[in-house]
Amino acid sequence: MRWKAFIAVIIILTGSIAGYLFMLDSLMERAFIYGSQQVFGAKAEVALFDFRLSDLSIEIHQYRVADKDAPMKNLFEIGRIHADVQIVPLLEKKVVINEVA
């Protein structure tokens, strides 16, 4: 076995996984905002987006979507959204949400 190559692969793999986990929140936030803008046809904003992979929970603070007919007004604004998803049913292709607040 080539130990130098093995160690290099482990370092690259570990760095890639760590980078993915650190970037996951920003990627999920961008996808959420992009999807909102596509659905409503207007600008969407989020003050805080927190996705936890360990227990599959999402917390969103200050979610605002502008009115496409009156851009200086909000169509709606939500102060806080929190959702917990069960992990085991996802393996059976089911989505079970324990709590949405």
Side-chain angles (χ1 to χ4, degrees), residues 69-89:
D69 297 326
M72 297 305 290
K73 294 182 180 180
N74 286 339
L75 183 63
F76 63 87
E77 182 173 339
I78 300 173
R80 179 179 175 264
I81 301 170
H82 179 82
D84 285 330
V85 179
Q86 287 185 3
I87 296 172
V88 176

Side-chain angles (χ1 to χ4, degrees), residues 6-40:
F6 180 72
I7 292 172
V9 168
I10 293 297
I11 290 172
I12 291 171
L13 187 62
T14 305
S16 298
I17 291 171
Y20 176 75
L21 291 176
F22 286 122
M23 299 281 296
L24 188 60
D25 272 350
S26 64
L27 293 173
M28 294 278 295
E29 179 180 358
R30 288 181 187 176
F32 181 77
I33 290 173
Y34 178 77
S36 297
Q37 290 175 349
Q38 294 299 312
V39 168
F40 296 108

